[in-house]
Amino acid sequence: MDVNKVLASAFVSVVVSIDLTDDDDIDPDIATDILEPAAALFRDLSGEGRREVTSLILGCAELEENPERRRAILALPEAIGLLDVD
């Protein structure tokens, strides 16, 4: 597997796991503090870079069999600012 796909898959797995964790198990403010620096890095990419990361994330959604996780993955590009206009 391509290293970019592995990294995207690992990132998606962590983010979706945090997102789907009950608020009693992980404080939402702490989850935001964990994820915001990564989201900021993605927002700093060029438009082409953001499209490439979005494509990798959507590829992860295609492989996900759990419907709840798939929905969370599909929402991820917008949630981390990849779909914002340049």
Side-chain angles (χ1 to χ4, degrees), residues 33-53:
D33 289 345
I34 292 169
L35 299 176
E36 183 55 36
L41 290 171
F42 290 127
R43 286 191 300 267
D44 287 342
L45 290 171
S46 67
E48 181 179 336
R50 288 195 311 263
R51 285 187 293 277
E52 184 176 345
V53 173

Side-chain angles (χ1 to χ4, degrees), residues 13-56:
S13 179
V14 169
V15 171
V16 170
S17 294
I18 289 171
D19 184 45
L20 296 179
T21 298
D22 191 284
D23 289 352
D24 292 334
D25 293 328
I26 186 168
D27 184 289
D29 292 331
I30 292 173
T32 299
D33 289 345
I34 292 169
L35 299 176
E36 183 55 36
L41 290 171
F42 290 127
R43 286 191 300 267
D44 287 342
L45 290 171
S46 67
E48 181 179 336
R50 288 195 311 263
R51 285 187 293 277
E52 184 176 345
V53 173
T54 297
S55 177
L56 289 167

Side-chain angles (χ1 to χ4, degrees), residues 2-12 15 38-61 73-83:
D2 175 65
V3 69
N4 289 334
K5 289 180 182 179
V6 170
L7 291 171
S9 180
F11 174 75
V12 165
V15 171
L41 290 171
F42 290 127
R43 286 191 300 267
D44 287 342
L45 290 171
S46 67
E48 181 179 336
R50 288 195 311 263
R51 285 187 293 277
E52 184 176 345
V53 173
T54 297
S55 177
L56 289 167
I57 291 171
L58 296 179
C60 292
I73 296 168
L74 290 171
L76 187 55
E78 183 174 5
I80 62 174
L82 290 170
L83 302 183

